[in-house]
Amino acid sequence: MGVQEILTMIKYAHVQEWVDRMAAMCQPDSVYWCDGSEEEKRRLTAEALRSGEIMELNQTVLPGCYLHRTAANDVARTEHLTYICTSFQGDAGPTNNWMSPREGYRKAREYFSGAMKGRTMYVIPFAMGPIGSPFSKIGIELTDSIYVVLNMRIMTRMGESVLDALGPKGEFTQCLHSKADLDVNRRLILHFPEDNAIWSVGSGYGGNVLLGKKCLALRIATVQAQREKWLAEHMLILGIEEPVGRVQYIAAAFPSACGKTNLAMLLPPEGLKMKGYRIWTVGDDIAWMKVDTDGRLWAVNPEMGYFGVVPGTNSKTNFNAMATITHDTIYTNVALKPDGTVWWEGHDDPPPAEALDWQGKPWSPKAVGKDGKPLMAAHPNSRFTAPFTNCPTHSFRYEHHHGVPISAIIFGGRRATLAPLVYEALNWEHGVYMGASMASERTAAQVGAVGEVRRDPMAMLPFCGYNMADYFGHWLDMGTRIRRPPKIFHVNWFRTDEKGKFLWPGFGENLRILEWILARQRDEVGGLETPIGIVPNPKDIDMSGLDLPAETMNQLLAIHPKDWLAEIDAVGQFFETFGTRMPEELWQQNEALRRRVLAAAK
Ligand code: OXD
Ligand code: MN
């Protein structure tokens, strides 16, 4: 052992002690500490290519891009195998799977024991948030997957500089991952908030194994945020620069399949481009928000990359994402074309005559499964992992230690009939109610009954690491701490007519609504008070370059009391699942809304 290694061992004795204990359980052949260097990246990439963990794509067309295929049974986050392990079940709450820490460690220890035999254990020191910022948190992930190392390099700040920032006694989240035998029956994703630890075993899929993301930056961070009085949220962060140069930032939460990445990378529509707007992407998935000394809410994106859904991405739906994934990107579970490039359903290019599908099997546009249905070339949850700075609209403020000031918070859902295109909360408490009652409806494109509603409060249902009733209470408490709180809005890009046709064109056109939101935040426009909140006066939405009949706008903004009364009952039933832990203020909001709707219906 060299002098340098001995010094490192002494300096990080508390890390070393933990690494040694985990290695004794997992029994890897060797332990390798990642330094985050370019040389290391080249070496590990070459090793992963040799082992077949990744495949090189056409380096002329897609320089620095690689393809990874997961096991067929390991293609998405496995919520039913994801647990919050707390001493008391009530602390995990009714929306989380629960195990006691003792039971969690016991079960997982069985799967981890000897799981890394014949493999290397990689030690990845990583930071969520800019290193040295008061926002940032440090984690160390141990893994037997080079794919995880290469992804963590993109998604986080990682390597030696993180260990330096940690120092000899610094606190870190202990993140342990092993692919083990990728057996779904021996798979667990366990969170131990009381120990600041995450154990994930039996999976190789991003959301289960890139432990800095959903596991640390949301589930563990929500618990820390409650304790330390800040907010860890499933939100994009977007800067809107007006022609005069003023930039204002918005944080927005949407359930999955509601276009979060598209909104984060929004391209202004032709009609508004003439006005000179520019959009700056600060984050597409997670926002950590704190009250600063100016009494406002400031946010950072703790991540350094995008882990986005590929199918449906094309230059019309997300021009900037297409530009983002042309180089230095890891593709997971997309189709491979004979020329070494990639393809997916919804790509700009027509389907290739032949390709290998996401599992590496020969595919053609005529391929059908046993059920006679067309076979997909790419998996519906195939992903790209791309560096944050690849996006042409990335904001230079991503490294700012204090983040960006948030002017407005948006909650969004997919509601075919109920919610208007946009409405503003009457105050912070009403805004928290809007977030707590957030929901999305199934469309004809999804399995299940059309119109069936899934509650997904603040888009955090699978990501809140503690009792969601307490989480709502924390949001209410934060309102009392922010001297100059952002206004809260709800948007719904998905309202349909009687035939199920979308009334609003969406995508870049959504900027028209963001413009109104910011004008409201600056008190520059009025609005129409309705029982559910404030909706725009149609004349206040700039429609230049968009030919939308006035009647359609009326339909988009209409509020139907009968539908709202049914909604209020449904929200009440949802709140009841939290029992006495549900904050009284939110019950009061539900009843106040009922009174306002009833009064208006008279
Ligand atoms: C994601 C998700 O992968 O929300 O970002 O599932
Ligand atoms: Mn997400």
Side-chain angles (χ1 to χ4, degrees), residues 77 79 205 207 213-214 218 234 254-256 260 284-285 307-309 381 383 459 462-463:
R77 284 184 292 100
E79 286 177 21
Y205 170 76
K213 193 175 179 62
K214 303 298 188 185
L218 288 176
H234 190 201
F254 292 86
S256 62
K260 208 148 131 250
D284 79 324
D285 197 37
F307 182 64
V309 176
N381 191 35
R383 296 278 174 155
F463 305 123

Side-chain angles (χ1 to χ4, degrees), residues 247 258 277 283:
V247 189
C258 288
Y277 275 101

Side-chain angles (χ1 to χ4, degrees), residues 372-386:
K373 290 199 184 131
L375 282 177
M376 288 196 62
H379 188 274
N381 191 35
S382 50
R383 296 278 174 155
F384 57 79
T385 318

Side-chain angles (χ1 to χ4, degrees), residues 63-344:
C65 293
Y66 299 91
L67 170 65
H68 171 78
R69 295 189 185 122
T70 65
N73 71 358
D74 191 24
V75 290
R77 284 184 292 100
T78 36
E79 286 177 21
H80 66 292
L81 300 173
T82 301
Y83 287 80
I84 303 296
C85 303
T86 45
S87 306
F88 300 103
Q89 183 165 7
D91 291 342
T95 58
N96 282 311
N97 299 316
W98 174 82
M99 251 190 242
S100 72
R102 180 198 285 252
E103 178 68 354
Y105 285 127
R106 190 192 61 74
K107 274 203 161 142
R109 203 171 283 126
E110 203 187 304
Y111 304 159
F112 274 114
S113 290
M116 295 190 190
K117 273 187 193 153
R119 301 178 186 169
T120 299
M121 175 192 264
Y122 298 92
V123 182
I124 313 170
F126 66 94
M128 302 310 290
I131 295 174
S133 150
F135 277 95
S136 84
K137 297 280 180 199
I138 288 177
I140 299 182
E141 177 160 355
L142 310 180
T143 179
D144 53 5
S145 158
I146 303 189
Y147 170 75
V148 169
V149 181
L150 295 175
N151 273 270
M152 288 293 281
R153 270 190 74 91
I154 297 175
M155 295 305 297
T156 71
R157 294 142 173 104
M158 70 88 107
E160 228 158 61
S161 51
V162 177
L163 275 186
D164 290 342
L166 180 68
K169 290 215 170 78
E171 203 192 327
F172 64 94
T173 306
Q174 301 176 352
C175 305
L176 175 65
H177 165 249
S178 171
K179 294 181 285 189
D181 43 14
L182 294 175
D183 180 350
V184 68
N185 297 311
R186 291 160 58 82
R187 182 176 299 162
L188 285 172
I189 294 94
L190 306 180
H191 304 74
F192 302 93
E194 292 158 12
D195 299 339
N196 197 7
I198 302 159
W199 281 21
S200 163
V201 64
S203 171
Y205 170 76
N208 292 335
V209 301
L210 307 180
L211 300 184
K213 193 175 179 62
K214 303 298 188 185
C215 301
L216 191 161
L218 288 176
R219 297 194 192 98
I220 292 289
T222 47
V223 178
Q224 295 170 331
Q226 187 204 27
R227 192 170 55 230
E228 297 162 8
K229 313 289 180 216
W230 51 281
L231 292 166
E233 299 303 324
H234 190 201
M235 288 182 177
L236 64 91
I237 310 167
L238 172 71
I240 300 167
E241 181 173 338
E242 293 166 84
V244 289
R246 173 171 52 192
V247 189
Q248 286 186 283
Y249 296 89
I250 283 175
F254 292 86
S256 62
C258 288
K260 208 148 131 250
T261 303
N262 296 349
L263 187 64
M265 298 180 180
L266 183 148
L267 194 67
E270 280 307 318
L272 293 194
K273 218 184 272 167
M274 317 246 294
K275 278 171 123 180
Y277 275 101
R278 294 196 68 169
I279 296 297
W280 299 109
T281 308
V282 183
D284 79 324
D285 197 37
I286 299 175
W288 284 359
M289 301 190 282
K290 279 195 168 151
V291 188
D292 211 331
T293 45
D294 63 352
R296 300 174 71 187
L297 199 57
W298 290 67
V300 297
N301 167 15
E303 303 191 277
M304 274 297 283
Y306 311 98
F307 182 64
V309 176
V310 178
T313 306
N314 59 53
S315 51
K316 287 196 192 66
T317 58
N318 196 336
F319 181 87
N320 288 315
M322 287 303 278
T324 301
I325 59 181
T326 52
H327 62 100
D328 302 302
T329 295
I330 301 174
Y331 288 92
T332 301
N333 289 343
V334 294
L336 179 63
K337 296 206 292 189
D339 66 355
T341 63
V342 286
W343 188 83
W344 51 83

Side-chain angles (χ1 to χ4, degrees), residues 401-481:
H401 283 199
H402 53 275
V404 296
I406 297 298
S407 296
I409 289 177
I410 300 176
F411 294 120
R414 178 188 278 270
R415 304 301 298 257
T417 54
L418 181 83
L421 179 58
V422 58
Y423 64 107
E424 179 188 322
L426 302 172
N427 50 44
W428 181 269
E429 281 189 10
H430 181 220
V432 174
Y433 168 82
M434 265 163 37
S437 55
M438 231 170 96
S440 269
E441 277 158 26
R442 287 182 204 278
T443 65
Q446 292 165 307
V447 181
V450 173
E452 191 180 274
V453 173
R454 171 176 140 121
R455 296 280 150 205
D456 189 356
M458 279 106 167
M460 286 290 279
L461 189 71
F463 305 123
C464 181
Y466 62 106
N467 192 312
M468 267 205 134
D470 299 351
Y471 166 77
F472 299 147
H474 176 54
W475 262 85
L476 291 166
D477 175 56
M478 286 298 292
T480 65
R481 293 172 188 276

Side-chain angles (χ1 to χ4, degrees), residues 504-580:
W504 179 248
F507 300 106
E509 308 294 348
N510 294 337
L511 179 56
R512 301 174 194 279
I513 306 307
L514 302 185
E515 237 191 328
W516 180 78
I517 285 174
L518 290 177
R520 282 293 300 165
Q521 185 271 338
R522 295 190 301 264
D523 286 329
E524 284 172 9
V525 286
L528 302 172
E529 276 215 28
T530 79
I532 65 157
I534 296 158
V535 301
N537 221 314
K539 73 167 178 37
D540 290 329
I541 297 184
D542 185 342
M543 297 295 277
S544 33
L546 176 62
D547 195 11
L548 194 85
E551 178 43 31
T552 305
M553 188 47 105
N554 290 342
Q555 273 176 280
L556 278 161
L557 296 176
I559 289 148
H560 304 297
K562 203 164 123 274
D563 295 352
W564 276 95
L565 289 172
E567 170 75 358
I568 291 162
D569 286 344
V571 170
Q573 278 163 20
F574 176 63
F575 284 1
E576 258 161 29
T577 60
F578 297 98
T580 52

